[in-house]
Amino acid sequence: MAANGAKPWAIPAGIYAHIPFCVSKCAYCDFLSFGKDTAADAQERYAAALCRELKTARESFLRGVAIDTVYIGGGTPTALPAPFLLEITGEIHQFNLTEGAEFTVECNPGTVDGAYLRRLKDSGANRLSVGLQAAQNSFLKILRRAHTAEDFFNVYEAARSAGFGNINVDIMFALPGAGFDGGASAGAYQTKADWLETLNAVVKRSPEHISAYSLTLEEGTPLYGRVERGELTLPGDEADREMYALCKEVLSAAGYAHYEISNYARRGYESRHNTRYWKRTPYFGFGLGAHSFDGKARWRNTHDLSKYIGNNLSHEESRTGKGVNEEVAKEEFTPEKFKREDYETLSEKDAMAETLFLGLRLMEGVSRRGFERVFNVPLEDVYGAEIRKLVSQGLLCESGGNIRLTELGMDLANQVFVRFL
Amino acid sequence: MNTQDQERMSRIRNFCIIAHIDHGKSTLADRLIEKSGVLTSREMQEQVLDNRERERERGITITAQAVRLIHRDGESGKEYTLNLIDTPGHVDFTYEVSRSLAACEGAVLVVDAAQGVEAQTLANVYLALDNNLEVFPVINKIDLIAANPDNAKKEIEDIIGLDTENAPLISAKNDINIGDVFKRVIEGIPAPAGDADAPLKALIFDSVYDAYKGVIVFIRVIDGKIRRGTNAFFMATEKQFDVVEAGFFGPGKFIPCEELSAGDVGYITASIKNVRDTRIGDTVTEFERKTANPFPGYKKINPMVYCGVFPADGAKYNDLRDALEKLQLNDASLQFEPETSTALGYGFRCGFLGLLHLEIIEERLEREYNLDLITTAPSVIYKVFLTDGSMIDLSNPTDLPEVTRIEHMEEPIVKAEIILPTEYIGTVMELCQERRGVYLGMEYLESARAILRYEIPLNEIIYDFFDTLKSRSRGYASLDYDLIGYQASDLVKLDILVHHEPVDALSFIVFSGTAQERGRKIAEKLKKEIPRHQFEIPIQAVIGSKVIARETLGALRKDVLAKCYGGDITRKKKLLEKQKEGKKRMRQIGVVEVPQQAFMNVLKLGEE
């Protein structure tokens, strides 16, 4: 029994650890990450604070809880010097990890070499997620990725050599280019031919998992500004959907199962950690701005780096805890007192809506029986009218007691999801 | 008449302030009130005359109100009663202005030292002169860096023909030379004439409804006396009431008194339930002893502009009706009747004196009554002559009879006066021509400014004319207009179809020569306002069965959220909730969902 009275979860939970550092910020990224401009010792102090947070949780509300997925994401986790990252993986290994737990680390080409990857593998990471985005350096430049396509291929080979038998590759379509409506030449926006080239380059290397996202322009990012100002042109929605269709075709022909709107995997290699998000099984986020869900409530950590690191502590103090009253330090990191912001206990209605709009992202869809088991009320009673309307609009279909998105429904998923709010 | 009455009347001055918007009328009024010693600065409620929230914001005064000032003259030590009657400063309220003026003997013309004379100032000065008022100018804002009092004086002399030799140079805002204004009011404005012993003759110049006292009638007593118990007779409406209370206008409050007599400005109450019984311009007399010389009687003011007003939330229909009824209590010129629209549901067809009046009512409904409204395109009243020889007044385009039944149509024409810096003459003339204006003439006011006169159809004026005029003249042109009559015109009804369904709220009458252009603009705008659907949506502008413009809104191809970083479901949910909120504010036109805002936005075409 944990000190705060919480019971260990009956089912295994996931751990997410966030590393908010990057070599440089990508042009489309609006996520919480810091470039080179942060204080020299910020990374070291951050790693120490993260370890302390993990430790505190492990010794309190997560004591004894089985963990079957771990995901270290960012930012770019491998932007941290290897010793800091290994300190974190080491800390995570102190948890009650289940046999064969999935342990993913995100990395970007240009941040790691063979030695780094071998040390990572030896530290227990068994899945690597590598960002390629596009096979053409012209697009990588527009996206302000800090690497070339060649860097990616080298890292990929190095990861295999290091023994990673489960690799995900991130790629993106509907990328903008500088202007005219033309063919595959550099400067134009991404064409189907460009996209096919990217797909083939990835398929040729045969990763176990592929995430293929349509680029989302987030307000406030440099890329958004350039498109707004007319310096860059996006392919239209029509082209976007053609690329999406092409992706499904090429990857399914290559033996990948399309298991989530944007994710493809060889059988048995679906991302178990990401599936938690869609299936609403518990996960606990550590590090700056990390999100948690315990099955009933959602919350997140502070977005304030200095608050997170604890500016009042010197590195030596924060690392060792020396000079700090142990009780105070512990209190400071008590989830309730320190890290939980935007804490929201979900109502039954919220939980039902989530079950639909998250579950429908999975191609297997939402099971009527599963829904009834969780909520003790038939899916029909809650959403019958909405489901019938969406089926009549060709956005949903049903088979084997599961409600699923149709092909059209995948293109217009939000139109479906809002009906369940 | 006894000497006491004569002495009393010799110390009364009834006057108003005429000024263009922003030239400082309310500020000067505040200053006079403050200086009159009735109120201390602390008590002084800013902008006393403009006591309604929305008027304050616009810096203009909508309906006439009055205040009594007690001023002790420094030199003679005599105490004077100064009745300041406020006048609406806008073209929509010309008749109300003329009645306020008729209650005065004089007017203070306030001219901004930096801006000079404006079109509306001119119109109101002419009204004052027509009413035989003694008008004297005051140059305000002399402390502004851009102030040019000499130029302002020269304009007043050249354009209006008033002597400016003794014009006070003041700053109402910074309290400079306000004493000169009092001096000029006392010396320059005649004391009221009239006979306190003659039969009662009083002019109604405004009225407000009060939930406890009934209608409070604002009057200027010309002859005779009125007091509690007087059996008052309103000569035009032929209504009889026993006066319950008589009184003066204290700043921000009513001060009951024994009686009002010749020369006085004040109010009476008489348990009057309906503001329509107290018409502005009517004569109040005594039933048993009627005056032989009543005023010409009130002019029935007819709305010039109509539009549909609908609650955004259909369930608020009754709230809207209650609110309109309440507003009407104080505003006899506001008219409304129920209207049903297939696009917008249940609402009201409302009639207004003009566009400003429309905007004021709309804003009051939204602010004071907390209603979320959708208003349709404003329409003027067309005279539709039918082949059977009859004629109908058409204020709602959807009521237009079949084309085959129409012999011809006429539209209202106004005479517009535009005062503007000469450098904008070219662009403004172009605008007037575009709006079917007929050039009447132009005069140079001084070297840098001119007055342009045009006859323009009112329907062109209400279609964005004022905003366009302002934008093309960088805000320097001012406009005034008067209805001069009706004129036969080649008019057609333009309908908008969305996915082949007519949208009644977007139908309007338009000159056939500009129909295509107008239709094209609306279709283009609507295309931007309607979100994409799962199917392609044609948007057409049609006259009868003839399509004159078409836009096609392509089908929605993609609406899907990308990746969810690190399990941030909350953000995803917020995005979906925002999308859902948007859906709520949609109106169903056939199978198409149209945002409510679209109905108003497409009509604000503007110059993009």
Side-chain angles (χ1 to χ4, degrees):
Chain A
M1 186 71 91
N4 63 3
K7 282 188 182 128
W9 278 261
I11 51 169
I15 283 178
Y16 174 84
H18 188 66
I19 311 297
F21 300 103
C22 283
V23 175
S24 66
K25 189 112 174 162
C26 298
Y28 53 91
C29 174
D30 76 332
F31 205 45
L32 194 53
S33 72
F34 301 91
K36 295 182 199 121
D37 50 345
T38 37
D41 66 343
Q43 295 189 345
E44 191 175 358
R45 292 174 61 188
Y46 182 83
L50 178 54
C51 285
R52 249 188 349 154
E53 190 197 4
L54 284 161
K55 183 164 181 274
T56 308
R58 197 179 65 237
E59 291 172 355
S60 57
F61 70 101
L62 288 184
R63 176 174 295 168
V65 172
I67 301 297
D68 67 350
T69 70
V70 174
Y71 197 103
I72 303 182
T76 308
T78 51
L80 287 180
F84 301 154
L85 186 56
L86 296 179
E87 203 179 336
I88 295 161
T89 54
E91 193 63 50
I92 291 171
H93 263 284
Q94 305 284 315
F95 278 85
N96 176 22
L97 296 189
T98 60
E99 180 75 27
E102 179 188 273
F103 195 134
T104 307
V105 177
E106 281 183 352
C107 80
N108 272 323
T111 56
V112 284
D113 56 15
Y116 194 130
L117 290 167
R118 274 191 300 278
R119 291 175 72 184
L120 203 53
K121 182 74 178 54
D122 292 345
S123 82
N126 55 24
R127 185 172 181 269
L128 204 63
S129 177
V130 194
L132 166 61
Q133 313 314 352
Q136 301 80 16
N137 290 334
S138 58
F139 288 116
L140 294 178
K141 206 167 165 185
I142 285 172
L143 297 173
R144 291 200 203 152
R145 296 284 297 177
H147 62 85
T148 62
E150 292 70 33
D151 292 337
F152 166 80
F153 300 132
N154 292 336
V155 158
Y156 187 88
E157 293 314 319
R160 286 298 193 206
S161 303
F164 280 100
N166 186 355
I167 298 180
N168 166 62
V169 178
D170 273 350
I171 48 178
M172 284 201 295
F173 60 93
L175 301 177
F180 66 94
D181 188 351
S185 53
Y189 57 66
Q190 190 185 29
T191 62
K192 277 200 280 182
D194 296 329
W195 178 230
L196 188 59
E197 193 178 10
T198 299
L199 287 168
N200 284 336
V202 174
V203 166
K204 189 173 155 196
R205 281 158 182 87
S206 201
E208 285 67 30
H209 191 282
I210 299 169
S211 288
Y213 292 102
S214 164
L215 172 73
T216 306
L217 267 193
E218 300 286 357
E219 226 171 300
T221 59
L223 200 66
Y224 181 89
R226 292 190 69 192
V227 170
E228 279 289 289
R229 289 192 298 274
E231 294 166 26
L232 294 175
T233 313
L234 285 169
D237 284 350
E238 196 72 35
D240 177 306
R241 288 299 97 184
E242 284 186 11
M243 287 188 231
Y244 184 58
L246 183 65
C247 178
K248 285 194 272 190
E249 280 167 30
V250 170
L251 296 184
S252 99
Y256 291 89
H258 182 206
Y259 75 97
E260 192 266 352
I261 288 180
S262 308
N263 287 290
Y264 305 79
R266 296 223 185 273
R267 190 170 300 281
Y269 285 96
E270 295 85 2
S271 164
R272 278 152 53 197
H273 185 83
N274 285 333
T275 302
R276 307 201 95 90
Y277 301 150
W278 318 129
K279 291 199 164 177
R280 305 180 72 246
T281 58
Y283 52 90
F284 297 92
F286 298 90
L288 198 65
H291 293 262
S292 299
F293 173 60
D294 67 2
K296 297 230 179 301
R298 297 190 181 279
W299 68 90
R300 66 166 176 84
N301 272 4
T302 177
H303 283 149
D304 184 334
L305 182 62
S306 52
K307 189 174 167 194
Y308 183 77
I309 293 178
N311 260 350
N312 54 334
L313 305 177
S314 71
H315 165 60
E316 189 55 24
E317 285 167 342
S318 68
R319 198 173 63 80
T320 60
K322 210 171 173 183
V324 184
N325 181 312
E326 285 291 326
E327 287 311 305
V328 171
K330 215 163 217 173
E331 171 131 305
E332 192 181 328
F333 285 98
T334 298
E336 293 71 19
K337 292 228 162 134
F338 173 67
K339 44 170 237 178
R340 294 187 179 181
E341 294 191 6
D342 293 348
Y343 188 93
E344 186 196 6
T345 305
L346 301 176
S347 67
E348 176 105 315
K349 188 168 168 283
D350 288 336
M352 287 177 175
E354 284 190 6
T355 302
L356 270 292
F357 80 71
L358 296 173
L360 284 171
R361 289 191 68 101
L362 292 167
M363 296 303 109
E364 66 178 56
V366 173
S367 146
R368 282 185 184 272
R369 278 175 58 196
F371 184 95
E372 189 165 346
R373 201 166 49 238
V374 173
F375 297 107
N376 287 317
V377 55
L379 181 62
E380 188 62 24
D381 291 4
V382 187
Y383 292 123
E386 282 80 6
I387 290 170
R388 273 190 298 281
K389 170 142 198 207
L390 290 163
V391 168
S392 76
Q393 288 177 299
L395 297 168
L396 282 185
C397 61
E398 181 165 4
S399 59
N402 278 29
I403 313 295
R404 293 183 293 112
L405 291 177
T406 61
E407 296 278 316
L408 181 65
M410 287 180 224
D411 292 340
L412 305 176
N414 290 350
Q415 301 274 315
V416 176
F417 298 161
V418 293
R419 297 271 178 193
F420 297 114
L421 288 184
Chain B
M1 201 163 62
N2 60 39
T3 51
Q4 204 187 331
D5 271 323
Q6 281 170 2
E7 172 62 16
R8 185 184 55 79
M9 285 172 74
S10 75
R11 297 197 193 179
I12 295 175
R13 297 293 182 274
N14 297 320
F15 72 106
C16 60
I17 302 176
I18 297 173
H20 185 70
I21 296 164
D22 294 338
H23 282 203
K25 178 167 72 171
S26 300
T27 318
L28 177 58
D30 285 352
R31 204 54 77 202
L32 293 175
I33 292 166
E34 189 184 79
K35 294 268 164 190
S36 67
V38 178
L39 288 180
T40 63
S41 295
R42 193 177 51 80
E43 289 168 330
M44 178 75 190
Q45 190 190 341
E46 269 295 299
Q47 307 270 329
V48 169
L49 289 180
D50 284 16
N51 64 6
R52 284 180 209 154
E53 183 188 7
R54 66 157 325 290
E55 292 169 20
R56 192 175 310 173
E57 221 163 77
R58 283 178 159 255
I60 52 171
T61 308
I62 308 321
T63 49
Q65 287 179 312
V67 64
R68 188 192 61 165
L69 315 172
I70 308 298
H71 179 74
R72 190 173 296 278
D73 184 48
E75 288 170 29
S76 64
K78 284 184 180 170
E79 192 176 80
Y80 286 88
T81 298
L82 311 180
N83 291 306
L84 169 55
I85 297 176
D86 196 20
T87 54
H90 190 270
V91 60
D92 287 354
F93 307 100
T94 301
Y95 179 71
E96 293 178 350
V97 175
S98 80
R99 294 304 83 193
S100 294
L101 295 176
C104 303
E105 276 77 36
V108 176
L109 167 64
V110 178
V111 174
D112 185 320
Q115 306 286 329
V117 175
E118 306 277 2
Q120 285 155 31
T121 324
L122 202 54
N124 284 342
V125 170
Y126 289 146
L127 269 176
L129 295 173
D130 287 349
N131 279 282
N132 296 317
L133 262 57
E134 195 64 44
V135 181
F136 71 84
V138 164
I139 314 296
N140 191 22
K141 304 194 190 180
I142 54 156
D143 52 344
L144 289 185
I145 294 165
N148 189 344
D150 290 340
N151 188 59
K153 280 183 173 184
K154 189 165 182 305
E155 280 194 15
I156 293 167
E157 294 193 353
D158 292 352
I159 303 169
I160 307 174
L162 290 176
D163 180 16
T164 59
E165 202 180 339
N166 296 318
L169 301 178
I170 68 162
S171 166
K173 189 173 165 213
N174 293 316
D175 196 3
I176 300 171
N177 296 338
I178 303 302
D180 292 354
V181 180
F182 280 113
K183 193 159 179 282
R184 288 287 291 145
V185 167
I186 290 164
E187 289 172 4
I189 293 174
D195 184 350
D197 299 330
L200 173 65
K201 175 185 175 184
L203 172 73
I204 299 180
F205 65 90
D206 200 1
S207 61
V208 297
Y209 183 81
D210 180 273
Y212 301 102
K213 295 181 173 180
V215 180
I216 299 174
V217 188
F218 292 24
I219 56 169
R220 156 68 199 274
V221 184
I222 306 294
D223 295 321
K225 296 179 179 177
I226 187 166
R227 56 194 304 157
R228 183 187 171 91
T230 301
N231 184 216
F233 181 65
F234 294 0
M235 298 179 81
T237 57
E238 299 186 333
K239 301 274 178 173
Q240 234 187 105
F241 299 97
D242 285 331
V243 174
V244 173
E245 181 182 314
F248 294 109
F249 302 109
K253 62 184 170 211
F254 296 106
I255 305 170
C257 68
E258 199 60 29
E259 68 176 14
L260 294 171
S261 38
D264 281 338
V265 172
Y267 69 90
I268 53 166
T269 66
S271 302
I272 302 167
K273 293 282 170 281
N274 194 340
V275 78
R276 287 171 189 282
D277 292 335
T278 59
R279 293 295 189 168
I280 290 172
D282 200 354
T283 310
V284 182
T285 191
E286 216 172 334
F287 188 72
E288 302 298 340
R289 192 174 166 234
K290 296 191 179 73
T291 175
N293 310 303
F295 289 97
Y298 70 89
K299 180 168 129 190
K300 189 165 184 293
I301 334 164
N302 292 315
M304 300 233 281
V305 175
Y306 283 80
C307 78
V309 177
F310 295 84
D313 173 0
K316 301 270 182 166
Y317 174 81
N318 286 328
D319 294 356
L320 175 57
R321 192 191 50 219
D322 291 349
L324 283 168
E325 279 171 359
K326 284 195 182 115
L327 288 179
Q328 203 180 38
L329 284 177
N330 273 332
D331 185 350
S333 52
L334 169 66
Q335 296 190 355
F336 62 91
E337 59 182 44
E339 178 182 11
T340 312
S341 155
T342 49
L344 301 176
Y346 294 100
F348 295 92
R349 192 81 190 161
C350 300
F352 307 93
L353 297 176
L355 279 185
L356 179 78
H357 190 209
L358 183 159
E359 271 180 51
I360 288 163
I361 298 292
E362 193 182 331
E363 285 190 31
R364 290 190 66 183
L365 288 170
E366 292 191 328
R367 273 197 216 187
E368 294 170 28
Y369 297 92
N370 212 8
L371 292 162
D372 199 0
L373 302 175
I374 307 172
T375 50
T376 63
S379 169
V380 300
I381 304 166
Y382 298 95
K383 293 190 182 299
V384 183
F385 293 84
L386 302 177
T387 48
D388 63 9
S390 64
M391 190 275 284
I392 53 172
D393 281 329
L394 182 84
S395 62
N396 187 345
T398 54
D399 296 338
L400 188 74
E402 296 263 322
V403 181
T404 51
R405 287 181 55 212
I406 300 173
E407 208 270 316
H408 78 280
M409 284 169 72
E410 292 183 358
E411 64 177 331
I413 306 290
V414 299
K415 181 176 160 190
E417 289 189 339
I418 299 164
I419 293 184
L420 72 177
T422 47
E423 59 193 294
Y424 300 113
I425 289 175
T427 53
V428 170
M429 284 179 79
E430 214 171 281
L431 170 65
C432 293
Q433 309 286 1
E434 283 166 23
R435 300 302 175 89
R436 299 187 283 140
V438 175
Y439 177 75
L440 296 177
M442 180 175 71
E443 280 167 49
Y444 283 89
L445 301 177
E446 10 98 27
S447 58
R449 295 214 301 168
I451 178 162
L452 265 177
R453 294 195 176 85
Y454 270 90
E455 275 184 20
I456 303 180
L458 182 59
N459 99 352
E460 299 285 349
I461 300 262
I462 65 169
Y463 176 74
D464 212 33
F465 183 85
F466 193 66
D467 289 342
T468 312
L469 176 69
K470 284 283 174 197
S471 82
R472 289 205 195 170
S473 67
R474 294 168 188 259
Y476 284 113
S478 58
L479 165 76
D480 188 54
Y481 62 82
D482 258 332
L483 182 68
I484 55 172
Y486 272 76
Q487 187 172 291
S489 190
D490 186 7
L491 299 165
V492 292
K493 181 170 155 234
L494 186 67
D495 293 313
I496 302 295
L497 308 185
V498 171
H499 206 261
H500 311 295
E501 289 282 335
V503 186
D504 58 358
L506 292 178
S507 291
F508 56 101
I509 308 284
V510 60
F511 176 62
S512 69
T514 48
Q516 184 150 0
E517 168 77 5
R518 199 76 61 92
R520 186 178 57 74
K521 277 193 184 167
I522 290 181
E524 277 173 7
K525 189 95 173 220
L526 204 50
K527 182 181 173 182
K528 289 183 198 149
E529 294 282 338
I530 300 176
R532 289 178 189 274
H533 284 54
Q534 263 176 260
F535 43 86
E536 194 176 89
I537 301 170
I539 299 165
Q540 298 159 300
V542 303
I543 296 171
S545 57
K546 187 177 155 206
V547 178
I548 58 165
R550 177 190 167 115
E551 292 287 330
T552 308
L553 179 64
L556 178 67
R557 293 289 291 118
K558 182 197 166 197
D559 183 15
V560 52
L561 291 170
K563 130 183 234 176
C564 122
Y565 293 100
D568 184 358
I569 305 303
T570 310
R571 176 175 172 179
K572 200 171 281 284
K573 189 157 63 188
K574 277 184 184 148
L575 287 170
L576 289 171
E577 273 162 0
K578 203 170 152 195
Q579 190 166 345
K580 191 189 171 194
E581 264 317 296
K583 271 197 181 297
K584 271 193 202 158
R585 290 189 293 270
M586 297 283 187
R587 293 283 168 156
Q588 198 78 28
I589 306 290
V591 291
V592 180
E593 286 177 329
V594 179
Q596 294 186 352
Q597 204 54 41
F599 292 94
M600 290 185 281
N601 288 352
V602 294
L603 302 165
K604 290 179 185 147
L605 295 174
E607 307 218 317
E608 284 162 12

